[in-house]
Amino acid sequence: MPGRHLSLTWPQNHELVETLHGDVLPQLCQAAAGQEFLREAPLNIVIAAGRPGHAGAIRGARERYVCMEAGHAAQNIHLQAVAMGLGSAPIGAFDDEQVHAALKLPDEHWPLYIIPVGYPAE
Ligand SMILES: Cc1cc2nc3c(=O)[nH]c(=O)nc-3n(C[C@H](O)[C@H](O)[C@H](O)COP(=O)(O)O)c2cc1C
């Protein structure tokens, strides 16, 4: 069932760790200005990065690398979706703190992007 599980990837270990049970899609959808297709997508990929100013975050001029990298990752997700005959959409209209709360992200994580992936409408 969509939205029942949330997994976080930890780049340090290259692993997926299940961190949350239950349907978080209503809260995620509300955090994203009520964009209903987030609730309908079988998969929503949320890209998060180190929150600016946090101890582990990239600092100074390189802070912009974070958004660039998120864009690169998102582009790859979109390309892979097309290659698999799926559809995806870049979603940036959301309240950062509401998404953070809905997904119970670690304090230092800053949500940058939501990418719903699913079967394209006929
Ligand atoms: C970074 C980024 C964030 C976006 N966020 C949203 C969004 O939150 N909601 C939305 O309806 N469209 C958003 N869009 C626009 C659409 O996802 C999409 O790009 C637009 O509808 C054109 O899509 P098409 O060329 O496949 O028709 C965003 C686009 C980009 C590049």
Side-chain angles (χ1 to χ4, degrees):
M1 181 187 289
R4 284 191 57 192
H5 302 290
L6 174 79
S7 297
L8 284 178
T9 43
W10 297 104
Q12 295 88 342
N13 302 327
H14 296 281
E15 62 180 353
L16 271 176
V17 179
E18 198 172 304
T19 58
L20 199 61
H21 291 274
D23 187 358
V24 299
L25 288 178
Q27 295 98 303
L28 186 65
C29 178
Q30 190 177 1
Q35 300 187 71
E36 278 296 323
F37 46 86
L38 294 182
R39 294 175 78 133
E40 295 161 12
L43 171 68
N44 283 286
I45 298 173
V46 179
I47 299 178
R51 200 181 275 278
H54 190 272
I58 290 176
R59 290 167 188 278
R62 288 188 304 141
E63 273 187 5
R64 71 181 183 276
Y65 290 5
V66 171
C67 293
M68 291 173 177
E69 285 288 355
H72 299 159
Q75 181 78 9
N76 281 324
I77 292 167
H78 296 307
L79 290 170
Q80 188 61 37
V82 171
M84 296 173 75
L86 300 172
S88 61
I91 298 301
F94 55 80
D95 182 293
D96 298 3
E97 295 310 323
Q98 286 182 25
V99 170
H100 188 274
L103 303 183
K104 296 185 170 55
L105 294 176
D107 283 349
E108 69 274 20
H109 284 198
W110 176 36
L112 291 172
Y113 231 142
I114 305 173
I115 303 172
V117 181
Y119 301 98
E122 291 299 319

